[in-house]
Each structure stands twice: as C-alpha cells, then as structure tokens.
Amino acid sequence: MAQNKTAKLLVQLSDEDKRKLILPDGIPGTMEELLVNVRDTCGIRGNFRLQYQDKDFGAFVNLTNIGDLENLGTIKVISSPDEGAAAAAPTTELDQCHDESLSSCSTDTDNTILLSSPESVSSRTQPWPKVFPIPVFSYDTELQLERGNASYLVDGKRLVPSPRMLQDILQRICDEIYKYKAYPVKEDRFEVAQALIKKHPCLQMPGNSDGALGWAERFGTKMSNFRTYMKGLGCSEFAVNSLKNKASDDAYPAKNIKRPKRGEANHIPSFPLGESAEQLEEERQALLKEVKKRNNERIVREKMAKTFALRRQEIVDKQPGVEELQERWPALFGEEEICAEFERITTVPLQARFLASLDKLSGNLLQVIRSKGGAIREKTKDTLQVMDQSLDINVRRECLLKCLIMYLGEDVS
C-alpha cells in the first residue's frame, strides 16, 4: 500500500452524483486495486477509466500513475467509448448516498464477473431502467411526431397515428422492452407508456388523465404477440412453455407456465452462438475435473459462464433437487460462483447490492438494536463497543451483522 493511514477520495460519477470513498489502508499501491475499489463502492458495471483533478492545471487529467493521486483528491469515472453510455451506470440500490461513516467499498473481489458467454445475443446485461429510454423510430414516424408535438404545444390537438406509424411505434418499443424483460407486468408497461407520452405529448390518448393507459394496454397485446412469434422461432425462453415440450400430464396451455420470477432478467437464455446442448454437456464434464484442481478459479469461472444457458434450462425445466444439483454443478456452491450466478440471472452484483443496502439501513438497525434491553443488550454490548471505536468499514459491517444475528436469537458462530 502507498500509505498506512486512512485516505479519503471524492468519486464523481456525474455532475449530480458524487460519492465519498474511504480507504482504511490508504491509497492502493496499484491502479488495478484502485479500479476494484471504485467498481465495488459505486456498483459500476462495464469498462471504465479514471481521471484525477490536477492541481497545476485545475482540470481533470487521465490517471495513469497511482503516485499522482493524493489524499482528499477528486477522481472522475469515465466509461469506455466501446461500452456505451450505460456501461458505467451504477446499480439502483447504489444510487442513494450512504452514511459517510460507512461509505467505503468491499475489497475482496479482484476479478470481473462474467455474465454469460459473449456470443449469446439473448442474454440481458442490464436491469430495468429507472427511466425507460424511448427509442428512435423510423424517419417518417419521427417527422410526423415532430410536427405533432409542435401542433400540440400550440392548440393541444392530439395526433392520431396511422396504422403504419402505430406499428412502427409498438414494434420498436416492444423490442426495447424485451432488452430488459420478456414478461413486463402492468406497472412496467404503464411506466413505458408514461415515458412515451412525456417524450411525445401529442400521442396522449383520450379516456384517462395522462393519456397513457391506452398505450399500456397496446404494449401488453403487442408483447403477447411478440412472445408467440419468438416461440415459433425456437427461443428457449418461450419454447419451454410450448405443449410439445411439456410432459403429458402438463400438456395444457395454462398449466405449469414457467415465467421469470421477480428480478430475473435472464430466465432461460439461449445457447451461445455455435454451441449445442451436446457441446455444452462436454464443457460441464470438463468443468467437473477443473473444480478438483487447485488455484484454478479463472478456468472454472469461464466454464461456468459458458455453460450458464445449459444450467438454467436444466434448473427451470427439470427442477432438480439440491443433491442432484450439487452433483452436476459442484462449482455453483462456492462463494464466488454464488455471486457470479446471481449477477448472471439478475444483472445485479449480489455483494455490492447487499453491502449498499446494509450501509443504507445501518442507522435504523442500530437504533432498533440499541433500544433493546435485558439479555440482548448484554450480548451486543461488547460488539457495539468495538463498532463505535473502529473506523474500518469492514469491521463495522461485521459488528452490525453480528448484533443483528444476536437480536434475531441465532448462533453467531
């Protein structure tokens, strides 16, 4: 480490989003360690680089030498050009500032998690956005919308889309919806409709206050037709519910429908391009041998990412028991792969999300724990004292979790 004392940095994600980063062991000795710290603290996904505020020029300069960074300095996160604007977007739970005394990061992750095989075009890599992005429509549709919006601002006249224009809007928006969810619920569709009306107010429909309800219903119908079309193309996410793939006892359209649970973005992804079930089964057999080797985490991680689609189809379709799953996929039950699999399914980093939520709720948890008397107070007294005297974020989190376990009457060991 470059320093032995605690260092503090200001991390600027955007003009409106700035966060405090506490480094208990000082500024890291390498750029790689600093990138891991920033990634875990801010929940950044995708490639990015850092800039620091240079004192000589008073501007942000690319950070290439860790020695240029000083305590109480400011660093700026810049997403890589090839990753797009959303590459460095923080996760939803991390969008709110934590208590300053607990604002830091988890430094036990030194590898980027592979979501899935890069050849798999069906895998989703982003959760449902906070503000749904309305796509750009065809040229003629955009031209009509531009004129319609201008007319609406003048006299409040709504635009009645032609069949071709309506088809273009529905198709492109449903394509955008499918990037995040295959089965959007009513609230999701209404949120998309409101985003459409906000961007193009001339498209408001009569019958309700904001004119979005009619569009939400149309999105529901279009998505249903879209799923039927994709099922005909053999998309595994929908083919699993076709009658020919069901057992004879379940061969009814409305029986045993397999849909993604809440938070699941990649329910049943398709096989990577050029891969078959037989080829992925061979990868699974090779994975069983790789798990037994020492210091082989990188190869195991790559093979687990490559066989993700095969594993999900087995789990959702066959619903194996825990013992059978442990026998076929032993690597899945390690700490690192549990976090990786969670991120592959939900696109959300498990550990960063949990620690962010823990930091966010730490004040309320401590208030509840300190308010208890009797045996609970005696059990938690020493742990709370250690927590109050420590500035190390990891020690404080550990103490808080121990107190919570005692509060719930469980065994801390």
Side-chain angles (χ1 to χ4, degrees), residues 202-268:
C202 66
L203 291 178
Q204 294 185 42
M205 289 187 174
N208 61 308
S209 57
D210 56 5
L213 184 59
W215 282 107
E217 294 174 350
R218 285 182 172 179
F219 293 149
T221 303
K222 184 64 177 179
M223 284 300 298
S224 178
N225 295 336
F226 180 76
R227 288 191 292 266
T228 302
Y229 172 72
M230 293 295 290
K231 182 169 66 175
L233 295 178
C235 180
S236 58
E237 195 167 15
F238 309 115
V240 68
N241 292 319
S242 63
L243 295 181
K244 66 178 181 179
N245 291 331
K246 290 186 177 183
S248 56
D249 296 339
D250 297 333
Y252 300 96
K255 186 175 181 181
N256 197 22
I257 298 295
K258 295 179 174 65
R259 293 187 179 183
K261 296 179 174 61
R262 182 179 180 181
E264 289 184 353
N266 294 304
H267 182 50
I268 311 179

Side-chain angles (χ1 to χ4, degrees), residues 6 33 53 55 65 72 99 111 139 144 160 194 219 237 245 286 311 315 367 384 406:
T6 301
E33 292 180 71
Q53 194 167 27
K55 293 182 178 180
N65 183 3
L72 301 179
D99 182 83
N111 293 299
Y139 177 78
Q144 295 178 68
V160 179
Q194 288 181 316
F219 293 149
E237 195 167 15
N245 291 331
R311 185 164 57 255
I315 293 174
Q367 185 177 0
L384 288 174
M406 296 176 190

Side-chain angles (χ1 to χ4, degrees), residues 31-242:
M31 285 293 300
E32 290 74 15
E33 292 180 71
L34 178 62
L35 289 172
V36 170
N37 276 272
V38 175
R39 182 188 300 276
D40 292 344
T41 297
C42 303
I44 298 175
R45 300 176 56 251
N47 295 331
F48 66 96
R49 56 188 173 88
L50 296 176
Q51 294 183 341
Y52 75 102
Q53 194 167 27
D54 185 78
K55 293 182 178 180
D56 296 332
F57 300 100
F60 283 98
V61 181
N62 290 337
L63 179 61
T64 57
N65 183 3
I66 195 68
D68 294 332
L69 194 60
E70 299 179 355
N71 184 28
L72 301 179
T74 301
I75 56 177
K76 189 175 184 179
V77 176
I78 307 295
S79 61
S80 295
D82 58 339
E83 294 293 331
T91 53
T92 303
E93 265 66 16
L94 298 175
D95 285 338
Q96 300 187 17
C97 292
H98 311 322
D99 182 83
E100 288 190 357
S101 64
L102 290 174
S103 291
S104 184
C105 67
S106 174
T107 58
D108 57 355
T109 300
D110 58 357
N111 293 299
T112 301
I113 294 177
L114 301 175
L115 286 180
S116 62
S117 176
E119 294 84 5
S120 180
V121 297
S122 65
S123 295
R124 299 179 179 91
T125 58
Q126 300 180 44
W128 186 266
K130 295 176 64 176
V131 178
F132 189 86
I134 300 300
V136 177
F137 306 116
S138 63
Y139 177 78
D140 57 316
T141 299
E142 288 288 344
L143 182 61
Q144 295 178 68
L145 288 174
E146 182 180 352
R147 294 175 178 174
N149 290 331
S151 177
Y152 180 82
L153 293 177
V154 174
D155 53 21
K157 183 179 179 180
R158 296 186 177 96
L159 175 66
V160 179
S162 64
R164 175 176 174 174
M165 181 180 180
L166 180 62
Q167 175 65 18
D168 181 39
I169 294 175
L170 293 176
Q171 183 63 54
R172 299 202 180 216
I173 287 186
C174 286
D175 287 344
E176 193 72 19
I177 292 175
Y178 186 70
K179 292 180 182 179
Y180 305 101
K181 286 185 179 181
Y183 293 89
V185 297
K186 182 178 180 181
E187 291 76 12
D188 296 329
R189 299 194 300 269
F190 190 72
E191 184 178 327
V192 176
Q194 288 181 316
L196 176 64
I197 296 303
K198 183 178 181 179
K199 184 174 182 180
H200 302 293
C202 66
L203 291 178
Q204 294 185 42
M205 289 187 174
N208 61 308
S209 57
D210 56 5
L213 184 59
W215 282 107
E217 294 174 350
R218 285 182 172 179
F219 293 149
T221 303
K222 184 64 177 179
M223 284 300 298
S224 178
N225 295 336
F226 180 76
R227 288 191 292 266
T228 302
Y229 172 72
M230 293 295 290
K231 182 169 66 175
L233 295 178
C235 180
S236 58
E237 195 167 15
F238 309 115
V240 68
N241 292 319
S242 63

Side-chain angles (χ1 to χ4, degrees), residues 109 111-116 266 297 300-302 304-305 308 311-312 331-332 334-351:
T109 300
N111 293 299
T112 301
I113 294 177
L114 301 175
L115 286 180
S116 62
N266 294 304
E297 292 79 7
V300 170
R301 184 166 57 251
E302 291 175 354
M304 284 292 288
F308 173 59
R311 185 164 57 255
R312 285 299 298 171
L332 184 61
E335 178 182 346
E336 182 177 344
E337 279 305 320
I338 288 175
C339 294
E341 192 78 353
F342 183 89
E343 186 166 356
R344 293 186 193 108
I345 296 173
T346 66
T347 74
V348 175
L350 174 61
Q351 190 175 53

